[in-house]
């Protein structure tokens, strides 16, 4: 067994016995890269990735084409790294969607926040609820800010009508990491509330997500609170 093979075996055994809690970022990347780079020492590649992207989170959130620019990282390794974040988001969404009845702002936030995990671009989701606050659907509306042409109010209204929703919750993320609604967010949300009201659908809230935090426009008084669900526990 070569020195590299011995290191791989030790690192895998350590993970089996201890989990990742005591691993540093380099060790985590080394272990991950074992499964895409079977013959090389992955430690220098892990160091190069951290230097390039600044942190483990930066590496995991980097685009595939940027990862491939790091020496030693080919298409398979770049795909595996990118897949890690995508699978994590898929897992978090799967776990959150076990809740089918959402009666509070907090529950809506818990349901919606995982959908934005690791996303680098602004993304908009529409959560549709029936009269008993049961989830009908949660659909990706589009990419771009809520006031952009990529996410027209007409499309949102049509989706809400098609799902036969009694109320909806709009959610979008701020990749900047600050969950404070912009003036444009607020203006567009009020226009959307008016358009939905005209067809008998309640805009119960608009949630702005940043990292694992969120701000409710209804809770903060930026849009009128509806009586559709409770706004405090």
């Amino acid at each position: 067994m070569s020195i590299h093979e011995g290191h791989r075996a030790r690192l895998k055994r350590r993970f089996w016995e201890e989990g990742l809690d005591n691993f540093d970022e380099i060790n985590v990347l080394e272990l991950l890269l074992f499964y895409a780079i079977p013959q090389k020492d992955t430690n220098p590649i892990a160091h190069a990735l951290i230097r390039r992207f600044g942190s483990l989170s930066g590496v995991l959130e980097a685009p595939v084409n940027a990862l491939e620019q790091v020496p030693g990282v080919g298409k398979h390794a770049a795909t595996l790294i990118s897949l890690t974040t995508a699978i994590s988001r898929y897992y978090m969404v799967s776990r959150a969607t076990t809740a089918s009845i959402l009666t509070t702002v907090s529950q809506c936030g818990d349901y919606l926040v995982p959908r934005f995990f690791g996303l680098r671009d602004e993304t908009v989701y529409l959560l549709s609820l029936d009269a008993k606050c049961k989830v009908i659907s949660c659909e990706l509306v589009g990419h771009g800010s809520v006031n952009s042409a990529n996410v027209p109010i007409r499309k949102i209204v049509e989706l809400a009508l098609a799902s036969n929703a009694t109320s909806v919750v709009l959610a979008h993320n701020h990749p900047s990491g600050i969950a404070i609604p912009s003036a444009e967010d607020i203006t567009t949300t009020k226009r959307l509330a008016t358009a939905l009201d005209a067809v008998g659908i309640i805009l119960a809230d608009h949630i702005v997500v940043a990292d694992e935090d969120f701000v409710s426009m209804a809770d903060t008084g930026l849009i009128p609170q509806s009586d559709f669900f409770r706004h405090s526990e």
Side-chain angles (χ1 to χ4, degrees):
M1 179 182 288
S2 72
I3 186 171
H4 297 322
E5 289 173 336
H7 176 63
R8 286 176 179 240
R10 287 190 297 273
L11 206 59
K12 289 177 183 178
R13 187 178 305 111
R14 182 179 160 198
F15 168 65
W16 298 334
E17 294 174 354
E18 303 175 13
L20 289 177
D21 289 347
N22 295 319
F23 277 51
D24 60 27
E25 294 190 335
I26 297 297
N27 290 155
V28 172
L29 274 177
E30 277 190 276
L31 181 59
L32 180 63
L33 290 169
F34 288 168
Y35 298 95
I37 306 173
Q39 302 299 327
K40 290 184 180 179
D41 178 8
T42 59
N43 183 276
I45 301 172
H47 277 282
L49 284 164
I50 295 293
R51 283 196 301 270
R52 172 68 184 273
F53 299 105
S55 65
L56 178 62
S57 62
V59 173
L60 296 180
E61 294 173 4
V64 168
N65 60 350
L67 291 167
E68 288 185 279
Q69 294 174 16
V70 176
V73 179
K75 178 68 74 175
H76 291 307
T79 300
L80 179 62
I81 292 169
S82 184
L83 184 62
T84 301
T85 302
I87 288 176
S88 297
R89 181 167 59 252
Y90 201 103
Y91 159 73
M92 293 169 68
V93 169
S94 176
R95 187 176 63 176
T97 52
T98 57
S100 61
I101 296 179
L102 310 175
T103 60
T104 68
V105 171
S106 178
Q107 289 172 347
C108 287
D110 290 343
Y111 188 95
L112 289 161
V113 167
R115 285 165 169 74
F116 300 96
F117 177 77
L119 296 182
R120 296 179 295 273
D121 301 318
E122 282 201 44
T123 305
V124 185
Y125 277 91
L126 183 70
L127 173 63
S128 298
L129 304 169
D130 69 12
K132 295 182 179 180
C133 295
K134 184 177 181 179
V135 175
I136 300 171
S137 65
C138 187
E139 300 182 69
L140 174 65
V141 178
H143 297 281
S145 62
V146 293
N147 57 306
S148 74
N150 292 330
V151 191
I153 287 177
R154 178 175 177 176
K155 178 179 179 180
I156 295 172
V157 173
E158 288 175 349
L159 286 172
L161 285 169
S163 67
N164 199 28
T166 299
S167 75
V168 298
V169 176
L170 194 68
H172 82 283
N173 63 324
H174 282 179
S176 63
I178 302 174
I180 299 175
S182 66
E184 291 81 6
D185 291 340
I186 298 167
T187 299
T188 303
T189 303
K190 290 178 177 178
R191 289 175 53 216
L192 176 59
T194 299
L196 287 166
D197 183 65
V199 294
I201 299 173
I202 299 166
L203 177 62
D205 209 343
H206 182 172
I207 287 173
V208 181
V209 177
D211 295 327
E212 296 175 12
D213 191 19
F214 73 91
V215 169
S216 157
M217 286 198 190
D219 262 4
T220 53
L222 294 173
I223 59 173
Q225 286 190 356
S226 75
D227 295 326
F228 191 74
F229 50 64
R230 301 191 306 276
H231 286 264
S232 60
E233 300 291 350

